[in-house]
Amino acid sequence: MNLHEYQAKEYFETYDLPVSRRSIIKKSSDIDEAIESIDFSNGCVAKVQSHTGGRGKVGGVKLCKSKLEVEEFVEQWLGKKIVTIQTDSGGLPVNIISLEELTNIDKELYMSFVVDRGEKCVSMIVSEAGGMNIEEVAEKTPEKILKAKLNSDYLIEEKEIKALANSLNFDSEQTDQFSKIVLGCAKLFKDKDLSLLEINPLVIKTDGNLHCLDAKINVDENALYRQEDLLDKRDPTQEDQREYEAKENDLSYVSLDGNIGCMVNGAGLAMGTMDTIKLYDGEPANFLDVGGTATKERVSKAFKLILSDQNVKGILINIFGGIVRCDLIAQGIIDAIRERSVSVPIVVRLQGNKSEEGKSILNDSGLNLIGEDSLQEASKKIVELVK
Ligand code: GDP
Ligand code: MN
């Protein structure tokens, strides 16, 4: 789960990490109060709050010298969508704008904390090349990327922090500030079960002090059950609507680019089904695991979810009845199809617990369903039908 920059900065403040004072605009009538509540003597930076970086490049971060410029920025963005290199072509809605006090920048650095699967730890990455695409820096000038591993207490030893500060040419005061920022971020990362914390850019201000100019936080969703204060920070408008709806219904769903909708029980079988579709030159429209205890209701919800994707030209249902009963699944499929007018072809493979009963329910339904017994045949068939 992602947080907005302004929410991330609220956590930064709690952990004594230096961020700019800011105020939030949700409707144009908020502008006056927002300007009054910050030091606007040198103007401010207006920032679109959407779950994406790369805002600066498309005008979503702008230095505003006057109230008029703020009004123009709000007019330009609020209620619109922002498309960046990190979003898809549809972009993300802009419902919030943050006004920040202006920071005078000397240099932009990069800092992040990530779950490092290769090293089996959390790693900190810092670079003197901040403010830009870090993947590009890593590719073109890998020597500019410095890395340190956090130990199992989420700490980095003082002497290692000092060595990094040295490489970044910090003076002694900056080194102290750097150390505080590193340890504060590490503690925040641990306390809040984050999977990513990124400050790009971490800046050296013209007065020499370090400052977190941007803030990105990803939270490990599996830990949300013990992070109650984070729960109400979720912004569904920033998530794929189908993926969000799926989560609400306890279904694992991931949108993909293809045209064959997949409904499968079990993540492994779902992966296998997608592979088999690909083997026959088809393209799955989604990953969907209705779960090992798929009920009629959940199948019905899953069905609606798949059909709400305009790209879907056919559906492959692949259910193995271990705990679930295929006859119940079959009834769920029929109910869902009857609830909406489905025009795309549907291939169904039911195997296992009560599969024969399931198949006859489907056959007797009078609906245009194609039954197949093997996954290969079923996949081949649906690929043929969508062509
Ligand atoms: P992003 O493009 O979505 O990553 O948004 P950022 O918050 O990183 O802002 C993009 C860029 O805007 C930064 O790299 C800075 O160069 C610039 N910027 C943001 N805030 C300020 C500020 O307070 N003062 C100045 N001078 N530049 C800023
Ligand atoms: Mn940034």
Side-chain angles (χ1 to χ4, degrees):
M1 180 182 99
N2 293 326
L3 296 187
H4 284 298
E5 176 194 7
Y6 82 94
Q7 295 169 320
K9 284 183 172 172
E10 285 167 10
Y11 281 107
F12 275 32
E13 271 168 348
T14 315
Y15 285 77
D16 268 337
L17 303 166
V19 290
S20 308
R21 274 244 308 262
R22 69 214 158 269
S23 50
I24 293 304
I25 293 171
K26 292 186 173 171
K27 48 187 189 312
S28 33
S29 58
D30 293 342
I31 294 177
D32 284 338
E33 211 188 313
I35 287 178
E36 272 160 34
S37 64
I38 58 171
D39 175 4
F40 195 75
S41 48
N42 300 314
C44 73
V45 184
K47 306 183 88 173
V48 161
Q49 298 295 294
S50 297
H51 287 180
T52 176
R55 296 162 301 172
K57 294 243 159 54
V58 296
V61 175
K62 189 167 178 277
L63 276 60
C64 297
K65 290 277 166 218
S66 63
K67 182 179 157 191
L68 181 66
E69 284 183 23
V70 173
E71 285 168 345
E72 283 168 359
F73 185 90
V74 171
E75 172 74 20
Q76 181 194 349
W77 284 110
L78 204 59
K80 310 282 167 42
K81 288 198 165 176
I82 184 166
V83 180
T84 72
I85 43 161
Q86 295 182 11
T87 68
D88 61 21
S89 58
L92 286 171
V94 181
N95 301 319
I96 303 167
I97 285 164
S98 175
L99 298 189
E100 296 206 344
E101 286 180 5
L102 204 66
T103 304
N104 293 316
I105 305 171
D106 190 22
K107 195 165 180 221
E108 303 198 10
L109 312 169
Y110 175 92
M111 175 185 261
S112 69
F113 292 74
V114 287
V115 174
D116 189 334
R117 290 173 205 285
E119 300 284 355
K120 300 189 182 71
C121 67
V122 172
S123 288
M124 176 180 78
I125 295 160
V126 282
S127 175
E128 58 169 331
M132 40 186 134
N133 187 345
I134 197 68
E135 285 84 0
E136 206 176 303
V137 177
E139 197 175 315
K140 293 190 180 143
T141 47
E143 71 282 0
K144 287 191 177 158
I145 305 269
L146 307 175
K147 219 168 138 177
K149 291 195 227 172
L150 275 64
N151 68 21
S152 53
D153 292 322
Y154 288 73
L155 293 171
I156 300 177
E157 277 190 41
E158 202 61 40
K159 65 171 193 291
E160 199 175 349
I161 297 177
K162 289 222 162 85
L164 287 170
N166 215 15
S167 312
L168 294 165
N169 298 315
F170 288 159
D171 63 26
S172 77
E173 198 160 325
Q174 289 166 338
T175 302
D176 286 347
Q177 294 176 1
F178 179 65
S179 174
K180 256 186 81 183
I181 292 174
V182 169
L183 297 174
C185 287
K187 183 156 173 28
L188 172 57
F189 198 101
K190 178 188 181 196
D191 289 353
K192 295 291 157 200
D193 289 310
L194 307 188
S195 51
L196 172 77
L197 183 160
E198 187 182 63
I199 309 170
N200 187 22
L202 168 71
V203 299
I204 304 174
K205 297 197 286 186
T206 44
D207 65 10
N209 292 318
L210 298 187
H211 192 77
C212 307
L213 205 63
D214 194 3
K216 177 174 177 168
I217 281 181
N218 287 353
V219 185
D220 180 353
E221 299 214 357
N222 293 314
L224 282 177
Y225 73 95
R226 62 180 186 192
Q227 297 293 352
E228 275 178 24
D229 61 319
L230 278 165
L231 280 180
D232 66 343
K233 303 241 168 356
R234 175 161 235 150
D235 183 353
T237 69
Q238 303 294 312
E239 300 186 26
D240 179 296
Q241 285 314 295
R242 276 187 296 274
E243 288 182 16
Y244 182 74
E245 208 177 300
K247 260 177 230 153
E248 294 285 285
N249 288 299
D250 225 10
L251 301 163
S252 306
Y253 176 93
V254 181
S255 281
L256 297 168
D257 295 334
N259 57 4
I260 299 175
C262 302
M263 179 155 87
V264 190
N265 66 334
L269 191 59
M271 300 291 273
T273 305
M274 287 160 54
D275 280 351
T276 316
I277 288 172
K278 286 223 163 218
L279 185 68
Y280 294 108
D281 289 330
E283 289 293 336
N286 64 278
F287 166 96
L288 172 58
D289 172 12
V290 290
T293 54
T295 58
K296 191 173 112 180
E297 287 71 30
R298 287 176 65 182
V299 167
S300 175
K301 291 233 167 70
F303 221 99
K304 283 180 200 160
L305 209 60
I306 294 175
L307 286 168
S308 67
D309 179 353
Q310 302 298 320
N311 293 330
V312 169
K313 299 282 177 283
I315 298 174
L316 174 56
I317 300 175
N318 184 17
I319 301 287
F320 179 77
I323 302 164
V324 296
R325 282 169 43 183
C326 291
D327 54 341
L328 295 182
I329 297 284
Q331 196 55 52
I333 294 168
I334 290 165
D335 291 352
I337 295 175
R338 290 211 169 115
E339 261 174 60
R340 16 178 82 219
S341 48
V342 182
S343 52
V344 298
I346 301 172
V347 175
V348 189
R349 173 177 180 256
L350 291 178
Q351 287 292 359
N353 189 6
K354 300 223 183 271
S355 60
E356 289 311 317
E357 289 87 335
K359 281 181 215 166
S360 30
I361 291 174
L362 293 179
N363 285 338
D364 298 345
S365 69
L367 295 170
N368 185 20
L369 299 165
I370 299 144
E372 290 288 352
D373 282 337
S374 90
L375 177 53
Q376 281 84 351
E377 288 310 315
S379 302
K380 234 190 257 176
K381 190 86 198 172
I382 193 67
V383 171
E384 242 170 66
L385 287 167
V386 299
K387 270 193 178 140

